[in-house]
Amino acid sequence: MKEASYIPFKASQGQEQSLAQFLIDGAKLVAQTEPDTLYWYALQKDDGSFGIFDFFPNARGRDAHFAGQVAAALNQNAGTLVLDGWDTGIVANIVNPSVLSFKVPASDDTRATKATYIVLTAQAGKEQALEKLLTGAAQIIDQTEPETLLWTALKLNETTFAIFDTFVDERGRDAHFAGKVAGALHANAEVLIAGGWENGVLSNIHNFDVIAQAAR
């Protein structure tokens, strides 16, 4: 797992249920038609906004996904379902990070109901130190957090990093934020992260419900 994509978007007024159902159906199509899409998650926030997070073995797998049946169907229906349509509502919001390290769920584990995405901007001159902390965190997560199903450290560019993870339930997410990696991030935030813990970490947390998923 080396590449990822994240697309946040909003439903057109009155289309929230239709868009959610479209994504639920899309998960089945991803599983049937995209062998190089390793993990695919459809997400929804409490405010009604949506997102898709997916992971690939290489850039070719990501390209195949965006040329696939689900992307084509979303393109075709975006004018109705997505606020601002395909170009402005979808394409303009695509983020394509690289994967630094990861813990993946068991191959038959589809229990994820919650997800979190956190964007972290390194303090000037601390980019390598933050990258090192995040890269080493996956092993700790794997050893200490059984209810953290998928955990990924991501690099968006030379100064910006992120974490995306999924959980069995809210209790699993709470356990993660009380765990060793969150503790290490808290302890080092003032030095490593622009804005520190409060403004650089907590204010950049996005919590989602997982409404559909597909995995290889």
Side-chain angles (χ1 to χ4, degrees), residues 121-123 189-204:
T121 301
Q123 293 272 23
E190 296 302 320
V191 174
L192 297 182
I193 299 169
W197 178 251
E198 294 290 336
N199 296 319
V201 180
L202 295 185
S203 64
N204 293 322

Side-chain angles (χ1 to χ4, degrees), residues 59-77:
R60 184 179 63 186
R62 182 159 57 198
D63 291 344
H65 169 67
F66 282 108
Q69 294 184 39
V70 173
L74 187 56
N75 187 348
Q76 184 177 4
N77 290 278

Side-chain angles (χ1 to χ4, degrees), residues 12-95:
S12 297
Q13 186 174 4
Q15 294 296 322
E16 291 81 5
Q17 290 187 349
S18 295
L19 181 54
Q21 188 60 54
F22 176 91
L23 294 172
I24 292 168
D25 294 339
K28 302 171 187 176
L29 195 56
V30 167
Q32 293 168 356
T33 64
E34 298 187 16
D36 283 335
T37 299
L38 302 178
Y39 297 93
W40 186 94
Y41 297 93
L43 311 169
Q44 186 171 11
K45 276 186 176 182
D46 289 341
D47 65 5
S49 60
F50 294 84
I52 295 172
F53 227 115
D54 35 22
F55 297 88
F56 314 95
N58 47 44
R60 184 179 63 186
R62 182 159 57 198
D63 291 344
H65 169 67
F66 282 108
Q69 294 184 39
V70 173
L74 187 56
N75 187 348
Q76 184 177 4
N77 290 278
T80 300
L81 297 178
V82 179
L83 183 67
D84 296 325
W86 175 253
D87 289 331
T88 303
I90 298 289
V91 176
N93 297 328
I94 295 173
V95 180

Side-chain angles (χ1 to χ4, degrees), residues 116 118 145 165 167 172-179 182-183 197 205 207:
T116 295
I118 311 173
E145 296 188 15
D165 35 19
F167 309 95
R173 180 153 58 194
D174 290 344
H176 169 68
F177 280 105
W197 178 251
I205 293 175
N207 288 326

